[in-house]
Amino acid sequence: MMFTVESYQGTLKDKYNLVTKQLQSLIEGEPNRIANLSNAAALLNVFLEDINWVGFYLYEEGMLVLGPFQGLPACIRIPMGKGVCGTAALERKTIRVDDVHQFPGHIACDAASQSEIVIPLMKDGNLVGVLDIDSPLKNRFSKEEEALLEAFAEVLQIHL
């Protein structure tokens, strides 16, 4: 299976359908969540254009702790309700931010980040963590892409 940007052709939905199928084939039957999250982060890093960070924060002992990621070193712990990640985790809903400088309390781990999307990961009604993606471009993530990333996360959640 090839994992290059050139592998993804067609509409945005077509491309996401392919990357989601690739995720499914990578993680199906693998019980280790760190291995699955690592492959998911690597896959998204190759697939997504115009991003500078993609990874996971895992919910542990009442806060988010850095998990598998691709990009520059990141903040290790994020309190619930702080920044985009902590807010998405606390509210248990996806937050898409077109301009991170307009988000109250934004945590700047990478000064190049201009926009961000954070998707909570749930298992059996409980918060497991969040998928966090940053871009050096403002307005990088569309409403359509938000829904497609949520579908990607749903496949991942089954294997956590």
Side-chain angles (χ1 to χ4, degrees):
M1 187 179 320
M2 288 291 292
F3 298 105
T4 64
V5 172
E6 293 78 26
S7 303
Y8 304 103
Q9 303 292 323
T11 66
L12 189 63
K13 187 174 182 180
D14 292 338
K15 293 175 186 179
Y16 268 93
N17 285 340
L18 177 56
V19 77
T20 301
K21 286 179 185 173
Q22 289 174 326
L23 173 69
Q24 179 71 36
S25 70
L26 277 171
I27 66 177
E28 194 163 27
E30 176 51 59
N32 186 282
R33 83 175 181 171
I34 298 300
N36 290 337
L37 293 171
S38 296
N39 268 333
L43 186 60
L44 285 173
N45 192 53
V46 170
F47 170 70
L48 294 170
E49 296 178 17
D50 299 318
I51 66 162
N52 57 321
W53 200 92
V54 58
F56 300 93
Y57 280 90
L58 303 175
Y59 183 66
E60 295 180 7
E61 299 175 9
M63 68 177 4
L64 296 173
V65 180
L66 183 63
F69 71 94
Q70 301 275 311
L72 292 177
C75 305
I76 296 174
R77 294 182 181 273
I78 299 175
M80 295 296 285
K82 300 293 181 185
V84 182
C85 288
T87 302
L90 183 66
E91 296 179 4
R92 310 287 202 275
K93 70 175 189 178
T94 298
I95 297 182
R96 181 171 42 95
V97 180
D98 293 332
D99 180 352
V100 296
H101 304 291
Q102 301 303 313
F103 190 89
H106 173 254
I107 300 169
C109 292
D110 182 347
S113 294
Q114 297 293 315
S115 62
E116 183 172 8
I117 188 166
V118 178
I119 301 166
L121 301 173
M122 306 294 292
K123 182 73 172 182
D124 302 323
N126 297 309
L127 180 69
V128 175
V130 298
L131 166 59
D132 180 23
I133 307 171
D134 293 359
S135 171
L137 304 178
K138 289 184 180 172
N139 303 302
R140 163 61 182 84
F141 305 100
S142 67
K143 186 73 174 162
E144 178 186 14
E145 194 162 22
E146 176 181 332
L148 295 167
L149 282 165
E150 287 174 337
F152 180 92
E154 285 175 21
V155 169
L156 181 59
Q157 290 170 136
I158 295 167
H159 299 280
L160 293 178

